[in-house]
Amino acid sequence: MWKAAEEDSRHGRPALAEVIRRYWQPLYSFARKQGLPSQDAEDATQEFLGGVIDGRWLERADPAKGKFRTYLLACWKRFLVDQYRQQNAQRRGGQAVLMSLDVSSGEQKWLELRSKEPDPDRIFMRSWANSLLDEVQQRLRIDYQAKDRCRVLDALLPCLTQPLTAERAIELADELGMS
């Protein structure tokens, strides 16, 4: 993700797209847990990610200082504090250029997360991890479909998120014809 801070468009632009795709949901969930209404959280997330694209938030990024997600979360917190202090955040569709994000599932995921986790930082991390897991599952599905092995994937996918007992491992091996 640190490549997103690079000026070089060959590396920076694809990495920026990855940052936006991977982090919008965790940022949105954090904002909701901080008390922002759904539409305000969407607007703030879009405005912040616009700043990421413009380079405002990545200009001081330094991989030697720690993890990218920790840096991004610190920037997000500063951004939200600044917005709160200004008390004149732009209304939907104002002068800012809005990015198109598929936020239809954002509110539902937020509602699920808030009931499980009271801490906004942990909601961010959990939401980020869930987004990453969703991405991995989508990539695996594409790979397994290309090899006509969806049956194997469907049998093994639950093992990514649930403990696997020795008995269940043996059952799976038998079902899939593995030794």
Side-chain angles (χ1 to χ4, degrees):
M1 289 296 110
W2 288 109
K3 287 183 180 181
E6 293 179 6
E7 297 275 334
D8 180 0
S9 63
R10 288 180 305 127
H11 294 67
R13 284 294 155 194
L16 276 175
E18 184 75 10
V19 166
I20 290 168
R21 188 179 52 70
R22 187 172 286 172
Y23 285 96
W24 79 264
Q25 176 67 51
L27 294 169
Y28 173 82
S29 295
F30 183 91
R32 290 289 284 129
K33 188 61 180 180
Q34 291 296 99
L36 267 66
S38 164
Q39 290 182 341
D40 292 347
E42 286 177 25
D43 290 344
T45 303
Q46 286 184 349
E47 187 175 340
F48 177 77
L49 290 173
V52 170
I53 291 170
D54 294 346
R56 282 179 278 165
W57 297 106
L58 298 180
E59 60 194 17
R60 293 188 196 136
D62 182 1
K65 292 184 179 179
K67 295 178 182 174
F68 180 81
R69 70 177 173 266
T70 303
Y71 172 77
L72 193 68
L73 181 57
C75 291
W76 180 231
K77 287 177 180 179
R78 278 186 294 238
F79 175 83
L80 291 175
V81 167
D82 289 346
Q83 269 205 334
Y84 178 78
R85 286 182 182 153
Q86 292 172 6
Q87 290 293 325
N88 61 358
Q90 289 222 323
R91 298 289 178 221
R92 292 170 88 53
Q95 305 300 336
V97 176
L98 297 179
M99 296 174 292
S100 178
L101 297 174
D102 179 17
V103 295
S104 58
S105 64
E107 185 66 12
Q108 181 60 37
K109 286 181 181 180
W110 147 248
L111 291 171
E112 291 169 12
L113 283 172
R114 87 167 174 179
S115 65
K116 296 175 185 172
E117 184 60 60
D119 180 32
D121 287 4
R122 291 190 56 146
I123 280 186
F124 174 85
M125 292 301 186
R126 184 181 295 251
S127 183
W128 172 81
N130 286 341
S131 295
L132 187 59
L133 189 57
D134 289 345
E135 177 185 338
V136 167
Q137 289 177 357
Q138 289 171 4
R139 287 182 183 180
L140 283 171
R141 177 130 340 254
I142 290 168
D143 288 348
Y144 275 72
Q145 281 176 338
K147 297 173 185 171
D148 196 29
R149 295 188 47 107
C150 289
R151 183 174 154 266
V152 173
L153 176 67
D154 291 338
L156 296 177
L157 211 50
C159 300
L160 287 176
T161 57
Q162 300 168 9
L164 183 64
T165 65
E167 295 82 20
R168 181 62 184 139
I170 293 169
E171 288 174 11
L172 279 173
D174 289 343
E175 287 175 24
L176 299 173
M178 300 174 156
S179 56

